[in-house]
Amino acid sequence: MKAVVWQGPGEIEPAEVPDPAPRDPGDAVVRLTVSAICGTDLHMVRGTMPGMRPGTVLGHEGVGVVEEVGDGVRAFRPGDRVVVPSTLCCGRCSYCRAGYTSQCDAANPNGPEAGTAILGGRSTTGLRRTAGAVRADPVGGRQPGTALPDAVGVDSYGPPSSDDGDRERRVAELEDAAAGGETAWNAGDDPSQAARRTAQAVAEAGTIGVSGVYPPTLQSYPIGTVLNRNLTVRAGNCPHRALIPELIDVVAAGVLDPGRGVTVREGLGDVVTAYQEFDEHRAGWVKVALDPGT
């Protein structure tokens, strides 16, 4: 099969790799019809995510069709259309049953010490079993988009205060940076600066929500600013498996069309260029869909 393979920091290439087959009773083989490039992939490509092994197949956002299942799979059968969450889970352990599917121990080769297991990630948290797919049969002619498997973003909010004018200016600078304006900077290249600016921009007693992905080697955070401004910080890898069924219902009801968020569609032949354009924040390269049929 065709795949995008990581060979080293800054080195990726399209390649032919062996077709997968179920190895464990709970495995499923899914033929992807559309995948995507995620900001988390850039951690792998740049070498800022430790534990990557040459030959690792990249990619963790996709929709496709089940081709084959292991003997222990009961919820899916060949021909089913599925969304594949980027964070892996078993669906049965205590964390999964509580909705914290991104902290599943069973799906992780190193258990609770390894944290979130991410498809196409580093060896310490990489794939051990392919649990976690979500049924996504088309409803009313609508197809669940590749925007559903993952989501990233940073949000900060809180009660108003006396210095709202200055705060609005600082938030405007952050928004300009994120949009690639004159003050643009790459938060992924300097996460400590991003954390400091966010902690300064939010109102006192406000809340910071971090839904992006940072490597475990990052150990710096402006805790002094957070404590002295009475801020609340919420962070963690998204429990995709627990949330996607509700998102599929929203799409099926016509409330949301995730396909509108796709700004670029590329085939695998131009995948290296697509990664480069996305990494460089080129205009229009916001959500990139990779279509093997293109």
Side-chain angles (χ1 to χ4, degrees):
M1 71 175 188
K2 294 180 180 179
V4 181
V5 178
W6 186 92
Q7 298 294 6
E11 299 180 15
I12 61 172
E13 60 182 11
E16 289 286 338
V17 299
D19 290 341
R23 292 180 296 177
D24 295 327
D27 285 352
V29 176
V30 177
R31 172 176 53 83
L32 293 185
T33 53
V34 181
S35 185
I37 300 177
C38 175
T40 304
D41 291 325
L42 301 182
H43 283 299
M44 326 298 182
V45 175
R46 295 173 180 173
T48 56
M49 185 68 74
M52 291 293 293
R53 291 178 179 174
T56 297
V57 174
L58 292 179
H60 59 259
E61 294 186 14
V63 294
V65 179
V66 175
E67 295 286 294
E68 188 177 359
V69 298
D71 294 338
V73 175
R74 297 291 181 267
F76 301 96
R77 60 186 179 184
D80 283 346
R81 289 184 55 83
V82 294
V83 174
V84 183
S86 61
T87 54
L88 302 170
C89 67
C90 72
R92 299 181 300 273
C93 69
S94 59
Y95 284 106
C96 286
R97 293 197 303 271
Y100 298 108
T101 54
S102 59
Q103 293 302 316
C104 174
D105 292 342
N108 207 304
N110 290 316
E113 295 183 359
T116 305
I118 298 178
L119 185 64
R122 57 198 180 102
S123 59
T124 53
T125 64
L127 180 62
R128 184 173 76 180
R129 60 184 61 157
T130 51
V134 182
R135 189 181 305 278
D137 299 303
V139 178
R142 293 180 175 269
Q143 301 267 340
T146 190
L148 296 186
D150 202 358
V152 296
V154 177
D155 184 27
S156 59
Y157 56 91
S161 65
S162 58
D163 62 343
D164 276 346
D166 182 59
R167 176 166 297 107
E168 288 179 2
R169 176 186 59 78
R170 286 180 286 171
V171 171
E173 290 178 354
L174 291 174
E175 291 176 343
D176 185 52
E182 294 181 358
T183 61
W185 54 279
N186 191 339
D189 287 339
D190 195 347
S192 295
Q193 184 185 41
R196 289 194 302 272
R197 288 189 175 186
T198 304
Q200 293 164 358
V202 70
E204 291 86 349
T207 298
I208 298 171
V210 183
S211 55
V213 177
Y214 293 91
T217 51
L218 182 63
Q219 299 293 318
S220 175
Y221 196 81
I223 188 64
T225 301
V226 169
L227 186 145
N228 283 281
R229 304 187 77 237
N230 278 66
L231 304 182
T232 299
V233 179
R234 297 293 301 271
N237 292 315
C238 181
H240 301 102
R241 180 59 181 83
L243 301 177
I244 289 178
E246 182 177 350
L247 292 177
I248 292 176
D249 290 341
V250 171
V251 173
V255 177
L256 173 68
D257 179 8
R260 295 178 59 187
V262 176
T263 59
V264 177
R265 185 177 292 269
E266 290 285 347
L268 291 184
D270 298 321
V271 68
V272 174
T273 300
Y275 268 91
Q276 291 173 342
E277 298 285 330
F278 183 68
D279 191 10
E280 294 172 4
H281 299 280
R282 295 295 180 89
W285 289 74
V286 178
K287 187 64 178 181
V288 184
L290 300 177
D291 187 344
T294 301

